[in-house]
Amino acid sequence: MQQTEWAPKMGAVAGLGIAGILMAIACVTVVTDVPGRFLTGIAAVGLLAFAVGSWRSRPKLAITSQGLVYRGWFGTQTLTRADISLIRITEFRRLGRKMRLLEIETTADRLIVLSRWDVGTDPLEVLDALTDAGYAGS
């Protein structure tokens, strides 16, 4: 049985939230200069916002009976097979590592790009599951 839902790993999202809370505590208690307090405050808010957004958008991608469901920070979109024009993997080198991105092009000229963080696993495995479900062949 293949996986049908993909999301950021819960431990990683929780780690981001904890790091944001610790940074906010450090901002208030440890940092004494105003510019440093301002910068650590912005970093803490950024980490917390990213953690909340990542948690809220779980699962990021799912195969359901209605179609392929993509969930973002601000809404959910269901794509049928007719809505998808192309699904592919893009590979490039970044900081000495090979990075893979899953790209889903829709007929409405929308491009959805999902990284390893977004799907919680190698995007190639997600492409294999989408191909087996009949989405990548369209």
Side-chain angles (χ1 to χ4, degrees):
M1 175 131 177
Q2 276 204 329
Q3 186 175 357
T4 59
E5 287 186 350
W6 298 274
K9 295 186 188 263
M10 282 197 296
V13 175
L16 276 176
I18 290 168
I21 290 169
L22 291 175
M23 187 168 279
I25 291 169
C27 170
V28 173
T29 60
V30 177
V31 181
T32 58
D33 62 327
V34 175
R37 186 169 280 184
F38 178 74
L39 290 175
T40 55
I42 287 176
V45 169
L47 281 172
L48 288 170
F50 189 70
V52 168
S54 294
W55 186 266
R56 186 183 181 289
S57 67
R58 292 180 52 90
K60 193 72 164 179
L61 190 67
I63 300 171
T64 65
S65 58
Q66 291 84 21
L68 189 62
V69 176
Y70 167 72
R71 191 166 179 191
W73 283 22
F74 304 111
T76 303
Q77 181 179 10
T78 302
L79 302 169
T80 63
R81 285 180 175 85
D83 294 332
I84 298 171
S85 61
L86 180 67
I87 299 177
R88 68 173 173 243
I89 294 288
T90 303
E91 291 184 354
F92 60 93
R93 296 195 63 79
R94 181 175 179 198
L95 300 174
R97 287 185 51 196
K98 185 187 294 186
M99 304 295 290
R100 288 189 180 118
L101 299 174
L102 177 69
E103 295 182 352
I104 302 172
E105 285 186 34
T106 67
T107 54
D109 289 333
R110 180 157 187 232
L111 179 65
I112 299 170
V113 180
L114 301 168
S115 67
R116 184 180 189 97
W117 170 267
D118 295 320
V119 294
T121 186
D122 186 9
L124 199 53
E125 294 176 19
V126 179
L127 179 65
D128 291 341
L130 292 176
T131 302
D132 290 345
Y135 285 98
S138 19

Short mmCIF file of all heavy atoms in Angstrom, two decimals, residues 49-92:
data_model
loop_
_atom_site.label_atom_id
_atom_site.label_comp_id
_atom_site.label_asym_id
_atom_site.label_seq_id
_atom_site.Cartn_x
_atom_site.Cartn_y
_atom_site.Cartn_z
N ALA A 49 5.94 32.01 12.94
CA ALA A 49 4.99 32.10 11.82
C ALA A 49 5.19 30.95 10.85
O ALA A 49 4.21 30.36 10.37
CB ALA A 49 5.16 33.44 11.10
N PHE A 50 6.44 30.60 10.57
CA PHE A 50 6.71 29.48 9.67
C PHE A 50 6.24 28.16 10.27
O PHE A 50 5.68 27.32 9.58
CB PHE A 50 8.20 29.43 9.33
CG PHE A 50 8.54 28.45 8.24
CD1 PHE A 50 8.14 28.69 6.94
CD2 PHE A 50 9.22 27.29 8.53
CE1 PHE A 50 8.43 27.78 5.94
CE2 PHE A 50 9.51 26.37 7.54
CZ PHE A 50 9.11 26.62 6.23
N ALA A 51 6.45 27.99 11.57
CA ALA A 51 6.00 26.76 12.24
C ALA A 51 4.47 26.65 12.21
O ALA A 51 3.92 25.59 11.91
CB ALA A 51 6.52 26.72 13.67
N VAL A 52 3.78 27.75 12.52
CA VAL A 52 2.31 27.73 12.52
C VAL A 52 1.78 27.49 11.11
O VAL A 52 0.86 26.70 10.90
CB VAL A 52 1.75 29.04 13.11
CG1 VAL A 52 0.26 29.19 12.85
CG2 VAL A 52 2.04 29.11 14.60
N GLY A 53 2.37 28.15 10.12
CA GLY A 53 1.94 27.96 8.73
C GLY A 53 2.18 26.55 8.25
O GLY A 53 1.34 25.95 7.56
N SER A 54 3.32 25.98 8.60
CA SER A 54 3.62 24.60 8.21
C SER A 54 2.68 23.62 8.90
O SER A 54 2.26 22.62 8.31
CB SER A 54 5.07 24.26 8.54
OG SER A 54 5.95 25.03 7.75
N TRP A 55 2.36 23.87 10.15
CA TRP A 55 1.45 23.00 10.88
C TRP A 55 0.04 23.09 10.31
O TRP A 55 -0.65 22.08 10.15
CB TRP A 55 1.44 23.37 12.37
CG TRP A 55 0.64 22.40 13.16
CD1 TRP A 55 -0.68 22.51 13.50
CD2 TRP A 55 1.09 21.16 13.69
NE1 TRP A 55 -1.06 21.41 14.23
CE2 TRP A 55 0.00 20.57 14.35
CE3 TRP A 55 2.31 20.50 13.66
CZ2 TRP A 55 0.10 19.34 14.98
CZ3 TRP A 55 2.41 19.28 14.30
CH2 TRP A 55 1.32 18.72 14.94
N ARG A 56 -0.38 24.30 9.98
CA ARG A 56 -1.73 24.52 9.46
C ARG A 56 -1.93 23.88 8.10
O ARG A 56 -3.04 23.45 7.76
CB ARG A 56 -2.00 26.02 9.37
CG ARG A 56 -3.41 26.37 8.98
CD ARG A 56 -3.59 27.87 8.84
NE ARG A 56 -4.93 28.24 8.48
CZ ARG A 56 -5.49 28.03 7.30
NH1 ARG A 56 -4.82 27.42 6.37
NH2 ARG A 56 -6.73 28.42 7.07
N SER A 57 -0.90 23.78 7.30
CA SER A 57 -1.03 23.26 5.94
C SER A 57 -0.81 21.75 5.85
O SER A 57 -0.57 21.23 4.77
CB SER A 57 -0.07 23.98 5.00
OG SER A 57 1.26 23.68 5.33
N ARG A 58 -0.91 21.05 6.97
CA ARG A 58 -0.74 19.59 6.95
C ARG A 58 -2.06 18.93 6.59
O ARG A 58 -3.08 19.35 7.12
CB ARG A 58 -0.28 19.11 8.32
CG ARG A 58 1.11 19.54 8.66
CD ARG A 58 1.50 19.03 10.01
NE ARG A 58 1.29 17.61 10.15
CZ ARG A 58 2.20 16.69 9.87
NH1 ARG A 58 3.37 17.06 9.46
NH2 ARG A 58 1.93 15.41 10.02
N PRO A 59 -2.15 17.92 5.77
CA PRO A 59 -1.13 17.45 4.84
C PRO A 59 -1.02 18.40 3.66
O PRO A 59 -2.00 18.97 3.20
CB PRO A 59 -1.65 16.09 4.40
CG PRO A 59 -3.13 16.19 4.52
CD PRO A 59 -3.38 17.13 5.67
N LYS A 60 0.18 18.57 3.18
CA LYS A 60 0.45 19.51 2.10
C LYS A 60 -0.12 19.01 0.77
O LYS A 60 -0.63 19.78 -0.04
CB LYS A 60 1.97 19.70 1.99
CG LYS A 60 2.39 20.84 1.14
CD LYS A 60 2.10 22.13 1.83
CE LYS A 60 2.86 23.26 1.18
NZ LYS A 60 2.58 24.52 1.82
N LEU A 61 -0.03 17.71 0.55
CA LEU A 61 -0.50 17.12 -0.70
C LEU A 61 -1.14 15.78 -0.35
O LEU A 61 -0.60 15.02 0.45
CB LEU A 61 0.68 16.91 -1.65
CG LEU A 61 0.38 16.53 -3.09
CD1 LEU A 61 -0.33 17.67 -3.80
CD2 LEU A 61 1.66 16.20 -3.83
N ALA A 62 -2.30 15.50 -0.93
CA ALA A 62 -3.00 14.24 -0.64
C ALA A 62 -3.77 13.78 -1.87
O ALA A 62 -4.31 14.59 -2.62
CB ALA A 62 -3.95 14.42 0.53
N ILE A 63 -3.80 12.47 -2.04
CA ILE A 63 -4.62 11.87 -3.09
C ILE A 63 -5.93 11.44 -2.42
O ILE A 63 -5.93 10.64 -1.49
CB ILE A 63 -3.92 10.64 -3.70
CG1 ILE A 63 -2.58 11.04 -4.32
CG2 ILE A 63 -4.82 9.99 -4.74
CD1 ILE A 63 -1.73 9.86 -4.76
N THR A 64 -7.03 12.01 -2.89
CA THR A 64 -8.34 11.68 -2.34
C THR A 64 -9.25 11.21 -3.48
O THR A 64 -8.85 11.23 -4.65
CB THR A 64 -8.99 12.91 -1.66
OG1 THR A 64 -9.23 13.91 -2.66
CG2 THR A 64 -8.10 13.47 -0.57
N SER A 65 -10.47 10.83 -3.13
CA SER A 65 -11.42 10.39 -4.16
C SER A 65 -11.87 11.55 -5.05
O SER A 65 -12.27 11.35 -6.18
CB SER A 65 -12.63 9.73 -3.49
OG SER A 65 -13.25 10.63 -2.60
N GLN A 66 -11.79 12.80 -4.52
CA GLN A 66 -12.18 13.97 -5.32
C GLN A 66 -11.07 14.41 -6.27
O GLN A 66 -11.33 15.10 -7.25
CB GLN A 66 -12.54 15.15 -4.41
CG GLN A 66 -13.80 14.98 -3.63
CD GLN A 66 -13.57 14.19 -2.34
OE1 GLN A 66 -12.46 14.12 -1.84
NE2 GLN A 66 -14.63 13.60 -1.84
N GLY A 67 -9.83 14.09 -5.96
CA GLY A 67 -8.70 14.48 -6.79
C GLY A 67 -7.45 14.68 -5.95
O GLY A 67 -7.35 14.18 -4.82
N LEU A 68 -6.53 15.42 -6.47
CA LEU A 68 -5.28 15.73 -5.79
C LEU A 68 -5.49 17.01 -4.99
O LEU A 68 -5.78 18.06 -5.56
CB LEU A 68 -4.16 15.90 -6.82
CG LEU A 68 -2.75 16.01 -6.31
CD1 LEU A 68 -2.33 14.74 -5.59
CD2 LEU A 68 -1.81 16.26 -7.47
N VAL A 69 -5.35 16.92 -3.68
CA VAL A 69 -5.63 18.07 -2.80
C VAL A 69 -4.31 18.70 -2.39
O VAL A 69 -3.44 18.03 -1.82
CB VAL A 69 -6.43 17.64 -1.55
CG1 VAL A 69 -6.63 18.81 -0.62
CG2 VAL A 69 -7.76 17.05 -1.96
N TYR A 70 -4.15 19.99 -2.72
CA TYR A 70 -2.99 20.77 -2.32
C TYR A 70 -3.45 21.76 -1.26
O TYR A 70 -4.40 22.51 -1.46
CB TYR A 70 -2.40 21.52 -3.52
CG TYR A 70 -1.41 22.58 -3.13
CD1 TYR A 70 -0.15 22.23 -2.66
CD2 TYR A 70 -1.74 23.93 -3.19
CE1 TYR A 70 0.75 23.21 -2.28
CE2 TYR A 70 -0.84 24.90 -2.81
CZ TYR A 70 0.41 24.53 -2.36
OH TYR A 70 1.31 25.48 -1.97
N ARG A 71 -2.76 21.74 -0.13
CA ARG A 71 -3.15 22.61 0.98
C ARG A 71 -2.03 23.58 1.27
O ARG A 71 -0.91 23.19 1.58
CB ARG A 71 -3.45 21.75 2.20
CG ARG A 71 -4.10 22.51 3.29
CD ARG A 71 -4.67 21.57 4.30
NE ARG A 71 -5.26 22.39 5.35
CZ ARG A 71 -5.68 21.93 6.48
NH1 ARG A 71 -5.59 20.65 6.74
NH2 ARG A 71 -6.19 22.74 7.37
N GLY A 72 -2.34 24.86 1.19
CA GLY A 72 -1.36 25.90 1.47
C GLY A 72 -1.65 26.58 2.78
O GLY A 72 -2.50 26.15 3.56
N TRP A 73 -0.95 27.67 3.05
CA TRP A 73 -1.12 28.40 4.30
C TRP A 73 -2.48 29.07 4.39
O TRP A 73 -3.03 29.24 5.45
CB TRP A 73 -0.04 29.46 4.44
CG TRP A 73 1.29 28.93 4.85
CD1 TRP A 73 1.74 27.64 4.72
CD2 TRP A 73 2.33 29.66 5.47
NE1 TRP A 73 3.01 27.55 5.22
CE2 TRP A 73 3.39 28.77 5.68
CE3 TRP A 73 2.47 30.97 5.85
CZ2 TRP A 73 4.58 29.15 6.27
CZ3 TRP A 73 3.65 31.36 6.43
CH2 TRP A 73 4.71 30.46 6.64
N PHE A 74 -3.03 29.47 3.24
CA PHE A 74 -4.25 30.27 3.25
C PHE A 74 -5.45 29.59 2.60
O PHE A 74 -6.50 30.20 2.49
CB PHE A 74 -4.01 31.62 2.58
CG PHE A 74 -2.88 32.39 3.20
CD1 PHE A 74 -1.71 32.58 2.52
CD2 PHE A 74 -3.00 32.89 4.48
CE1 PHE A 74 -0.65 33.29 3.09
CE2 PHE A 74 -1.96 33.59 5.07
CZ PHE A 74 -0.78 33.79 4.37
N GLY A 75 -5.31 28.38 2.16
CA GLY A 75 -6.45 27.72 1.53
C GLY A 75 -6.10 26.35 0.99
O GLY A 75 -4.95 25.92 0.99
N THR A 76 -7.14 25.68 0.51
CA THR A 76 -7.01 24.33 -0.04
C THR A 76 -7.52 24.34 -1.46
O THR A 76 -8.53 24.97 -1.77
CB THR A 76 -7.81 23.33 0.82
OG1 THR A 76 -7.35 23.41 2.16
CG2 THR A 76 -7.66 21.93 0.31
N GLN A 77 -6.81 23.61 -2.31
CA GLN A 77 -7.21 23.53 -3.71
C GLN A 77 -7.26 22.05 -4.11
O GLN A 77 -6.33 21.30 -3.85
CB GLN A 77 -6.20 24.27 -4.59
CG GLN A 77 -6.54 24.27 -6.04
CD GLN A 77 -5.52 25.04 -6.87
OE1 GLN A 77 -4.46 25.41 -6.38
NE2 GLN A 77 -5.83 25.26 -8.13
N THR A 78 -8.36 21.65 -4.74
CA THR A 78 -8.50 20.28 -5.23
C THR A 78 -8.31 20.29 -6.74
O THR A 78 -9.00 21.02 -7.46
CB THR A 78 -9.88 19.71 -4.87
OG1 THR A 78 -10.04 19.76 -3.45
CG2 THR A 78 -10.00 18.27 -5.33
N LEU A 79 -7.37 19.47 -7.20
CA LEU A 79 -7.06 19.39 -8.62
C LEU A 79 -7.52 18.04 -9.16
O LEU A 79 -7.13 16.99 -8.62
CB LEU A 79 -5.55 19.54 -8.86
CG LEU A 79 -4.89 20.81 -8.34
CD1 LEU A 79 -3.38 20.69 -8.41
CD2 LEU A 79 -5.36 21.99 -9.16
N THR A 80 -8.33 18.04 -10.20
CA THR A 80 -8.71 16.79 -10.86
C THR A 80 -7.65 16.45 -11.89
O THR A 80 -6.75 17.26 -12.18
CB THR A 80 -10.08 16.93 -11.53
OG1 THR A 80 -9.99 17.93 -12.55
CG2 THR A 80 -11.15 17.31 -10.52
N ARG A 81 -7.75 15.29 -12.48
CA ARG A 81 -6.78 14.90 -13.51
C ARG A 81 -6.82 15.87 -14.70
O ARG A 81 -5.80 16.15 -15.31
CB ARG A 81 -7.05 13.47 -13.97
CG ARG A 81 -6.60 12.45 -12.96
CD ARG A 81 -6.88 11.02 -13.43
NE ARG A 81 -6.34 10.05 -12.50
CZ ARG A 81 -6.98 9.63 -11.43
NH1 ARG A 81 -8.17 10.10 -11.15
NH2 ARG A 81 -6.42 8.74 -10.63
N ALA A 82 -8.00 16.39 -14.99
CA ALA A 82 -8.14 17.34 -16.11
C ALA A 82 -7.50 18.69 -15.79
O ALA A 82 -7.10 19.41 -16.71
CB ALA A 82 -9.61 17.54 -16.43
N ASP A 83 -7.37 19.04 -14.52
CA ASP A 83 -6.77 20.31 -14.12
C ASP A 83 -5.25 20.29 -14.20
O ASP A 83 -4.62 21.35 -14.21
CB ASP A 83 -7.16 20.67 -12.69
CG ASP A 83 -8.65 20.95 -12.55
OD1 ASP A 83 -9.27 21.38 -13.54
OD2 ASP A 83 -9.18 20.72 -11.44
N ILE A 84 -4.65 19.12 -14.23
CA ILE A 84 -3.19 19.00 -14.19
C ILE A 84 -2.66 18.80 -15.60
O ILE A 84 -3.06 17.88 -16.31
CB ILE A 84 -2.77 17.81 -13.29
CG1 ILE A 84 -3.26 18.05 -11.87
CG2 ILE A 84 -1.26 17.62 -13.33
CD1 ILE A 84 -3.09 16.87 -10.95
N SER A 85 -1.75 19.69 -16.00
CA SER A 85 -1.16 19.55 -17.33
C SER A 85 0.18 18.82 -17.30
O SER A 85 0.53 18.13 -18.25
CB SER A 85 -1.01 20.92 -17.99
OG SER A 85 -0.16 21.74 -17.24
N LEU A 86 0.94 18.95 -16.20
CA LEU A 86 2.25 18.31 -16.13
C LEU A 86 2.70 18.18 -14.68
O LEU A 86 2.51 19.10 -13.88
CB LEU A 86 3.27 19.15 -16.92
CG LEU A 86 4.71 18.66 -16.96
CD1 LEU A 86 4.81 17.36 -17.75
CD2 LEU A 86 5.60 19.71 -17.59
N ILE A 87 3.29 17.03 -14.37
CA ILE A 87 3.94 16.82 -13.07
C ILE A 87 5.34 16.34 -13.38
O ILE A 87 5.53 15.39 -14.14
CB ILE A 87 3.19 15.79 -12.21
CG1 ILE A 87 1.78 16.26 -11.92
CG2 ILE A 87 3.94 15.55 -10.91
CD1 ILE A 87 0.95 15.27 -11.13
N ARG A 88 6.33 17.01 -12.78
CA ARG A 88 7.72 16.63 -13.06
C ARG A 88 8.60 16.91 -11.85
O ARG A 88 8.23 17.62 -10.93
CB ARG A 88 8.24 17.37 -14.28
CG ARG A 88 8.40 18.84 -14.05
CD ARG A 88 9.09 19.54 -15.21
NE ARG A 88 9.06 20.97 -14.98
CZ ARG A 88 8.43 21.83 -15.75
NH1 ARG A 88 7.81 21.43 -16.81
NH2 ARG A 88 8.46 23.11 -15.45
N ILE A 89 9.79 16.34 -11.90
CA ILE A 89 10.83 16.57 -10.90
C ILE A 89 11.88 17.47 -11.53
O ILE A 89 12.33 17.22 -12.65
CB ILE A 89 11.49 15.24 -10.46
CG1 ILE A 89 10.49 14.36 -9.72
CG2 ILE A 89 12.72 15.49 -9.61
CD1 ILE A 89 10.13 14.83 -8.34
N THR A 90 12.27 18.50 -10.82
CA THR A 90 13.36 19.37 -11.24
C THR A 90 14.52 19.14 -10.28
O THR A 90 14.33 19.19 -9.06
CB THR A 90 12.93 20.85 -11.20
OG1 THR A 90 11.79 21.02 -12.02
CG2 THR A 90 14.04 21.75 -11.67
N GLU A 91 15.70 18.88 -10.82
CA GLU A 91 16.89 18.66 -9.99
C GLU A 91 17.91 19.75 -10.28
O GLU A 91 18.09 20.16 -11.43
CB GLU A 91 17.53 17.31 -10.29
CG GLU A 91 16.72 16.13 -9.85
CD GLU A 91 17.44 14.81 -10.08
OE1 GLU A 91 18.53 14.82 -10.68
OE2 GLU A 91 16.91 13.79 -9.64
N PHE A 92 18.56 20.23 -9.23
CA PHE A 92 19.66 21.16 -9.38
C PHE A 92 20.59 21.01 -8.20
O PHE A 92 20.23 20.43 -7.19
CB PHE A 92 19.15 22.60 -9.52
CG PHE A 92 18.35 23.09 -8.35
CD1 PHE A 92 18.96 23.79 -7.31
CD2 PHE A 92 16.99 22.85 -8.26
CE1 PHE A 92 18.23 24.22 -6.23
CE2 PHE A 92 16.26 23.28 -7.18
CZ PHE A 92 16.88 23.98 -6.16
#
